[in-house]
Amino acid sequence: MEFDIPLPEELELLEANSHFYEEEDEYLNFEEPPYPYPIDGDEEKEEERVAHKEPHVRQSESSDIKGCKRPRSLISDPIVNLDEVSPASDKRSKIDDNRVEIEDEDWLRFSPVKEVVHVMEEEEEVVIPQETMLSRYASEIDGECFPITAPDGGDRVYAKFCRALGDEEVNKLDVKDKSNGLIKDPISVLLQQSEKEAFNKVLQASSEDQNETISAETSVMHEKLWVDKYSPSSFTELLSDEQTNREVLLWLKQWDASVFGSEIRSTTEAVLSALKRHSTTSHHQKSDSAFTRKKQFNRWSKESFGYSKNAEVSNTNTADINDLWNKKSKLTGPPEQKILLLCGAPGLGKTTLAHIAAKHCGYRVVEINASDERSASAIETRILDVVQMNSVTADSRPKCLVIDEIDGALGDGKGAVDVILKMVLAERKHATGKENVENVKTSSKKDRRTAPLSRPVICICNDLYAPALRPLRQIAKVHIFVQPTVSRVVNRLKYICNMEGMKARSFALSALAEYTECDIRSCLNTLQFLYKKKETINVIDIGSQVVGRKDMSKSLFDIWKEIFTTRKMKRERSNDASGSGAKNFDFLHSLVSSRGDYDLIFDGIHENILQLHYHDPVMDKTISCLDGLGTSDLLHRYIMRTQQMPLYVYFPSLVIPIHRRVAQIQKPMIEWPKSYHRCRTLLVEKQESLRSWHHKIPPYIGRHLSIKSFVEDSISPLLHILSPPTLRPVASHLLSDRQKEQLAGLVMLMCSYSLTYKNVKSDPVLSSLREDAASDALVLALDPHLFDFINFKGHQFKHHVLALAMKQVLVHEVEKQKILQASGGKSGILNKPEIKKINQDLAKKTNAAANESQRTPVTSKPPSVSVGTATTSKPNSSDVKKASRNALNFFDRFRKSRKDYEDPEDVQNRATAKRDSRPLLFKFNEGFTNAVKRPVRMREFLL
Amino acid sequence: MLWVDKYRPKSLDKVIVHEDIAQKLKKLVSEQDCPHLLFYGPSGSGKKTLIMALLKQIYGASAEKVKVENRAWKVDAGSRTIDLELTTLSSTNHVELTPSDAGFQDRYIVQEIIKEMAKNRPIDTKGKKGYKVLVLNEVDKLSREAQHSLRRTMEKYSSSCRLILCCNSSSKVTEAIKSRCLNVRINAPSQEEIVKVLEFVAKKESLQLPQGFAARIAEKSNRSLRRAILSLETCRVQNYPFTGNQVISPMDWEEYVAEIATDMMKEQSPKKLFQVRGKVYELLVNCIPPEVILKRLLHELLKKLDSELKLEVCHWAAYYEHRMRLGQKAIFHIEAFVAKFMSIYKNFLISTFG
């Protein structure tokens, strides 16, 4: 940005015109903060003195201190608004009214104007010099300006807007830079800058002259990259999308409140009411002058004045908008999303935008990029430095952290993301923990000391969907950069070419821009390269090797889209068909091969290909596509097995026939290939459940059961057997003998296959299948969920399902059976002889055993032994009562015992009697440590 | 306990189905030293039963006392040590395991366990054999490396260790291993044999089998003895006494495949193919091996096809099955077959009906 330096003539003119001071006094005072500051008496005195000394030069400046006083007189002086640039004419009328009253005050209050800035600096240190410019022509004034007409002569001059500075606030960081969005630097700096620039220009020019005359070598040394040389230095020069630029700026501005301490300048209620009173009187004038001013803004920069324009609109228009704007701008805290994430393709100017915007808002940019150290600890200290500390050095502007290429280094870069996340989340927690009555959204912080993140952080990445950024994406404000329009890029390129004295036709430039996909950096580098070679750019160059093509890998979705759509290129159409075909081939081939990841690409093709709408009456295309996929699968497997990686080179060519067959003009809906992986994970899951079940089955059964073929040929009959339709859920004593037998068999079966029913949450699919259990909240399902294996989607489920009551009975029985097995299983085999010995009264004993094992399993050791034997498939048909039955009648005994529960005392007695009659109770369990230990008297051994 | 397990022959003498093989095996182990054995045959034909019976023949009743162990190995493979875990089934004289569960590290398992067995070689007491037996299941799933490493180990430790390999198809077992083993093919039992077994079971259970009922079950069983007995028991549970025309409940997945087949006959379009894909995924998820799906699908299709198409369809089924075995993603190939069939069928329809 270049500033006009006030020429001596202009200054003189100003002096000459200085007798219409009063108006200007008023007009230039709109910068005052909404709250009154304590007034320093000394200063006032001093100013008074100064004012008396130079009473005639008062047209522009007033310090903040003065301004602070203003609100008191606001009601009488409506012009004094903060941000809104109230039109001059409007004010003038007002002033004419109260001229008399105001006069003495104002004369006292307003500091004299300094045309020459350093004079002012000498006189009062507190007041920071401001740029003031008056001119006859609006075009000569850089920035906002407004017209002033002299009351007597009717001369019209344009005065530059300047700002007042709050220098008193100790807690505010930036003294110089309470930026109004107009100019961030004081005039002195600007003057120096422009001087320097001019000097440099001259220097450069002279050095160029020298170079030309002396040698080419020095020029090489001096020459900067064009990219750096012409990188935008102000907001207006940015090439990126205006919308984005403005939003970034807005976001940064939202930090002003917390960083600089000033609220975003908004109209206070008092001002508003005053304004409302007068707006009716001078509405037409207002709008008129607003219009002219707007035009001037546009000339300078549209973006940077988003605020003032907004404010202006709100003032000149209705109070509703005013309120709205106030609400918005009156947030005391930092913006809702504390992190800004800019993403976009390389060369679009993300970094530039971040820097420029931050500089524009008065921040000092601290950049961390991929080349810096990226370990978590190192980055944490740096971030904390930036975000929480104030520099004591001269450059006391608050810092703005720019983390460039945050997606770059996945492993280490994650450190940065983590640190930021931690800070933001900590703050959130804090904010929500505290009572925040006003509104949750702003999460405003009263005390900034505890706030971990009190400076804006801008993160820049190329790939928004990098895995490391996933958490960041959720909390950050994301801006996606779009390509600038070709014309914008070309304009800029052309300008640069002109500056460098390079001849380039805009057609060639636009071709270049298109070729590089509007990557300005690469455009500039190419141009500079060509320039150095003393060549002019032409269209043919771009196609040939002159321009380095970036190794761009597109996202998978883009690749799939390319595969499934026919590409229509204007230029290709003009070529003959074969040529375009070859080009297309090349394009697709390089696209796929630069991406790699062939497996996923083919999965994606497989997933989506059948959804396309290609014309295929006899499925020929489908077949050849699927054959292509099959071939890719074979190739992949072969490569994996033989580790012949060179063969990977053939993968991209497999894509092309598929593309040729199915590509359509309309855009397909592309889905991420999920189904294959879902299938695989589900399969593994189910196999795992089967396997774990298989391990639970005792080995003498399980060894014959292979998981592989279990579903194939056993599961359906097994499920049928497990749910016999003849079994009725009635009390066990009501069952017929046959039914009892059946029940006992079923229980045994479930035990030996370690199946049981289990309470599960009623899931909709299942409950719809089991019509009887659907109404019940609790659903008993088989423990290894075998029904899942035959539950195909859309398949009629024909299995009979047991009633819930029946299942409950079964659960109960199976549990009991398990306890019996657990207590007796171990010793069962060893004690066979003993069993034979006590064979005769086994029936009674088992009754007792069942009873006892229910209560005290340990004491019932000997009887349960027989139970264990029974379970190990050695049915002893020694039951007295039901000798006629075969192996399964053991359970009927068991069932009987359940009926005997009503006289447990009797049973207990009998059992103890039996046990006491036993000669020996000592047992050796083959070294198992869980052998039964019980006190045995020596006497018992001696018997 | 299921009848399948209950009436499984425990000794070689009681074997009904492969009686001749059982007798030969018996002779083999009782008269002379037993070589390495490779049992192969389709599932449900009785390989495992024969192996168990054989072990019992060798070691007596102690072979039946098995315990499940989850064993961990630490294998020192050059620069690194590999931790492996596998479930084994072992008695005092034999170890049984499925090495393919260890995935690509299966060869370490094979070597390690054989070495270990060779180390603590049993003392040659009277009446006991001087060797242990290692039963390896699913040898065809073993990786090539494991099979290669197996062949040397087999020879080296043959004095103390015998291997019994068990697999479905011997074609995936390398020639080297096949030549070191006595190959025993256990073919699927014929229907008559199945009927015989079913009648035996029915007699033991004292059930009345109606005329031809057993034959019907045998016919539906796909020549798998296990399935036959299971469906007999299912019938018994569902409806007893049997009636001659009682419904023998089919396997659910087979019905599902039949549904797919009807779908394919009904409409031939990419859209239908997409639906079929979903169903095939369903089957695959539920642990049905893809080869079985393809085979069954062909079976169902052949039932409905005109005879002039059968040959072509069979050819393509074989073609795609071959590709499927070479490849990894079964769904690609099954789908390709479905598409091919649709195309053939549609062409056929167009040519016949215009």
Side-chain angles (χ1 to χ4, degrees), chain A residues 599 606 686 712 716 753 793, chain B residues 5 252-253 256 277 286:
Chain A
D599 210 19
H606 176 247
K686 290 207 168 181
E712 187 188 331
S716 297
Y753 279 87
K793 207 185 284 167
Chain B
D5 301 310
D252 292 276
W253 69 270
Y256 202 61
R277 173 196 289 178
N286 285 309

Side-chain angles (χ1 to χ4, degrees), chain A residues 535-665:
Chain A
E535 282 175 14
T536 51
I537 181 168
N538 50 19
V539 187
I540 303 130
D541 275 349
I542 296 165
S544 67
Q545 288 301 312
V546 175
V547 184
R549 178 109 209 196
K550 272 186 295 179
D551 187 15
M552 272 180 297
S553 66
K554 288 206 169 184
S555 81
L556 281 167
F557 277 104
D558 290 338
I559 291 177
W560 290 322
K561 202 171 276 169
E562 288 296 343
I563 292 169
F564 291 140
T565 48
T566 42
R567 227 172 135 79
K568 271 196 300 182
M569 292 272 256
K570 275 171 262 161
R571 249 164 287 134
E572 272 176 9
R573 216 186 271 160
S574 61
N575 292 351
D576 56 329
S578 63
S580 84
K583 205 176 262 177
N584 219 343
F585 185 102
D586 261 2
F587 171 73
L588 210 56
H589 192 279
S590 65
L591 194 67
V592 174
S593 54
S594 67
R595 173 72 203 189
D597 227 350
Y598 303 119
D599 210 19
L600 207 50
I601 291 177
F602 281 106
D603 274 349
I605 294 174
H606 176 247
E607 180 91 8
N608 292 300
I609 195 166
L610 294 182
Q611 305 284 34
L612 301 177
H613 304 286
Y614 51 92
H615 181 65
D616 194 10
V618 284
M619 313 267 301
D620 281 336
K621 288 177 180 174
T622 317
I623 289 170
S624 63
C625 289
L626 285 171
D627 275 348
L629 290 176
T631 311
S632 80
D633 179 35
L634 298 195
L635 188 57
H636 186 73
R637 168 87 184 270
Y638 184 78
I639 290 170
M640 284 292 119
R641 218 181 49 214
T642 58
Q643 297 289 304
Q644 295 193 32
M645 300 308 172
L647 294 180
Y648 264 125
V649 85
Y650 295 106
F651 269 110
S653 43
L654 283 173
V655 171
I656 287 148
I658 295 176
H659 166 74
R660 296 301 289 269
R661 293 236 155 62
V662 301
Q664 297 294 301
I665 291 164

Side-chain angles (χ1 to χ4, degrees), chain B residues 62-102:
Chain B
S62 64
E64 280 184 347
K65 279 192 286 175
V66 286
K67 58 174 190 282
V68 186
E69 255 181 307
N70 223 345
R71 292 178 62 177
W73 282 277
K74 258 200 161 59
V75 186
D76 191 26
S79 54
R80 68 221 163 96
T81 52
I82 302 165
D83 285 313
L84 295 168
E85 224 182 87
L86 204 65
T87 315
T88 61
L89 210 67
S90 58
S91 73
T92 43
N93 295 307
H94 92 284
V95 177
E96 189 181 334
L97 74 161
T98 313
S100 55
D101 284 352

